[in-house]
Amino acid sequence: MQIKVHYKAIFVTDNDKDTIEYKEIGKLEKNNLSFNNINIYYDDYKIILKNGSSSLLFHYYKDTYNQYDVGYGKVNMTTRLLKFTKNDHTIKMKYQLLDHGDIITTVYILVEMIPYEGA
C-alpha cells in the first residue's frame, strides 16, 4: 500500500546534533516500510534499518554487533536498541551506536505514515 511518509532522524554526538528529514511517498507492506532508498523491517525479534547498501541490525533485548558500510569501507560497531514502538500511523525508534562499549551516537527516529490515494 502506498503511503505518505514523514521521516525525521536526529543524530546526537557529544554536543553536536544533526537532523535528516524526508517527506516522500513510500510503500508499507506487512512489517516493512520503504521510501527514498530507506527500508525499515521489523518483527517480534529484530529490526533491520537499511539506507542504500548500508544496514544495521537491532535485537530487542541485546546489543548487536554490526559492520556498517559507509561507502568507502565497513565500520565495526554495536547497536543498542533503547526504544521501538509502532502503530498504524507512527514508528518511533531510539538507539545508540557503540564502539567497544563507548557511545558514538544516539539516534531518534520518528516516522509518520498517512494513507495515500495517488496515481
Side-chain angles (χ1 to χ4, degrees), residues 58 78-82 94-98 103-107:
F58 301 86
T78 301
T79 55
R80 176 178 292 155
L81 183 64
L82 301 173
K94 178 181 177 183
Y95 65 89
Q96 292 174 326
L97 302 176
L98 300 103
I103 298 169
I104 302 168
T105 302
T106 302
V107 182

Side-chain angles (χ1 to χ4, degrees), residues 17 25 36 49-50 61 64 88 92-94 100:
K17 184 164 77 169
I25 302 301
N36 194 36
L49 180 59
K50 291 185 178 183
Y61 303 107
T64 306
D88 291 342
K92 294 179 183 177
M93 186 172 178
K94 178 181 177 183
H100 295 90

Side-chain angles (χ1 to χ4, degrees), residues 21-119:
E21 193 166 2
Y22 300 110
K23 292 183 179 179
E24 303 282 339
I25 302 301
K27 186 175 183 181
L28 179 63
E29 296 175 350
K30 183 178 167 68
N31 297 346
N32 194 28
L33 172 65
S34 58
F35 62 97
N36 194 36
N37 214 24
I38 294 174
N39 182 271
I40 302 171
Y41 170 81
Y42 49 90
D43 62 25
D44 292 337
Y45 306 100
K46 67 184 175 298
I47 300 161
I48 300 171
L49 180 59
K50 291 185 178 183
N51 187 351
S53 64
S54 300
S55 179
L56 290 174
L57 172 64
F58 301 86
H59 288 100
Y60 286 101
Y61 303 107
K62 65 179 182 176
D63 293 354
T64 306
Y65 175 78
N66 285 262
Q67 286 189 323
Y68 189 72
D69 186 352
V70 292
Y72 51 85
K74 294 189 185 265
V75 175
N76 298 328
M77 66 178 67
T78 301
T79 55
R80 176 178 292 155
L81 183 64
L82 301 173
K83 176 182 180 177
F84 184 81
T85 59
K86 60 180 174 25
N87 61 36
D88 291 342
H89 306 289
T90 61
I91 294 173
K92 294 179 183 177
M93 186 172 178
K94 178 181 177 183
Y95 65 89
Q96 292 174 326
L97 302 176
L98 300 103
D99 180 25
H100 295 90
D102 295 326
I103 298 169
I104 302 168
T105 302
T106 302
V107 182
Y108 303 82
I109 294 176
L110 173 62
V111 182
E112 296 174 302
M113 302 170 287
I114 302 164
Y116 178 69
E117 301 292 330

